[in-house]
Short mmCIF file of all heavy atoms in Angstrom, two decimals:
data_model
loop_
_atom_site.label_atom_id
_atom_site.label_comp_id
_atom_site.label_asym_id
_atom_site.label_seq_id
_atom_site.Cartn_x
_atom_site.Cartn_y
_atom_site.Cartn_z
N ASP P 256 9.58 -1.37 3.96
CA ASP P 256 8.16 -1.42 4.29
C ASP P 256 7.46 -2.35 3.31
O ASP P 256 7.21 -1.99 2.16
CB ASP P 256 7.54 -0.03 4.23
CG ASP P 256 6.05 -0.07 4.49
OD1 ASP P 256 5.64 -0.65 5.51
OD2 ASP P 256 5.28 0.46 3.67
N THR P 257 7.14 -3.56 3.76
CA THR P 257 6.53 -4.52 2.85
C THR P 257 5.09 -4.15 2.50
O THR P 257 4.63 -4.46 1.40
CB THR P 257 6.56 -5.93 3.46
OG1 THR P 257 5.95 -5.91 4.76
CG2 THR P 257 7.98 -6.45 3.58
N ALA P 258 4.37 -3.50 3.42
CA ALA P 258 2.98 -3.16 3.14
C ALA P 258 2.86 -2.27 1.91
O ALA P 258 2.02 -2.50 1.03
CB ALA P 258 2.35 -2.48 4.36
N SER P 259 3.71 -1.24 1.81
CA SER P 259 3.65 -0.32 0.67
C SER P 259 4.08 -1.00 -0.62
O SER P 259 3.45 -0.83 -1.67
CB SER P 259 4.54 0.90 0.94
OG SER P 259 4.09 1.61 2.08
N ALA P 260 5.14 -1.79 -0.55
CA ALA P 260 5.62 -2.48 -1.76
C ALA P 260 4.58 -3.48 -2.25
O ALA P 260 4.37 -3.62 -3.47
CB ALA P 260 6.94 -3.18 -1.46
N ILE P 261 3.93 -4.18 -1.34
CA ILE P 261 2.90 -5.15 -1.74
C ILE P 261 1.71 -4.43 -2.37
O ILE P 261 1.18 -4.87 -3.40
CB ILE P 261 2.46 -5.98 -0.52
CG1 ILE P 261 3.59 -6.93 -0.12
CG2 ILE P 261 1.19 -6.75 -0.82
CD1 ILE P 261 3.36 -7.63 1.20
N ALA P 262 1.27 -3.34 -1.77
CA ALA P 262 0.13 -2.60 -2.30
C ALA P 262 0.40 -2.11 -3.71
O ALA P 262 -0.48 -2.15 -4.59
CB ALA P 262 -0.22 -1.43 -1.39
N GLU P 263 1.62 -1.66 -3.97
CA GLU P 263 1.94 -1.09 -5.27
C GLU P 263 2.36 -2.14 -6.29
O GLU P 263 1.89 -2.15 -7.42
CB GLU P 263 3.06 -0.05 -5.11
CG GLU P 263 3.52 0.61 -6.40
CD GLU P 263 2.43 1.45 -7.07
OE1 GLU P 263 1.58 2.00 -6.35
OE2 GLU P 263 2.44 1.53 -8.31
N ALA P 264 3.26 -3.05 -5.91
CA ALA P 264 3.87 -3.96 -6.88
C ALA P 264 3.11 -5.27 -7.05
O ALA P 264 3.03 -5.79 -8.16
CB ALA P 264 5.31 -4.26 -6.46
N LEU P 265 2.58 -5.81 -5.97
CA LEU P 265 1.86 -7.08 -6.07
C LEU P 265 0.38 -6.87 -6.42
O LEU P 265 -0.12 -7.40 -7.41
CB LEU P 265 1.97 -7.85 -4.75
CG LEU P 265 1.20 -9.18 -4.68
CD1 LEU P 265 1.88 -10.22 -5.55
CD2 LEU P 265 1.12 -9.68 -3.25
N LEU P 266 -0.31 -6.06 -5.62
CA LEU P 266 -1.75 -5.89 -5.83
C LEU P 266 -2.07 -5.02 -7.04
O LEU P 266 -3.07 -5.25 -7.72
CB LEU P 266 -2.39 -5.27 -4.58
CG LEU P 266 -2.17 -5.98 -3.25
CD1 LEU P 266 -3.04 -5.36 -2.17
CD2 LEU P 266 -2.44 -7.46 -3.37
N SER P 267 -1.23 -4.02 -7.31
CA SER P 267 -1.55 -3.07 -8.38
C SER P 267 -0.75 -3.31 -9.66
O SER P 267 -1.08 -2.73 -10.69
CB SER P 267 -1.29 -1.64 -7.89
OG SER P 267 -2.03 -1.36 -6.73
#
Side-chain angles (χ1 to χ4, degrees):
D256 177 53
T257 54
S259 299
I261 289 170
E263 179 64 31
L265 177 71
L266 305 189
S267 303

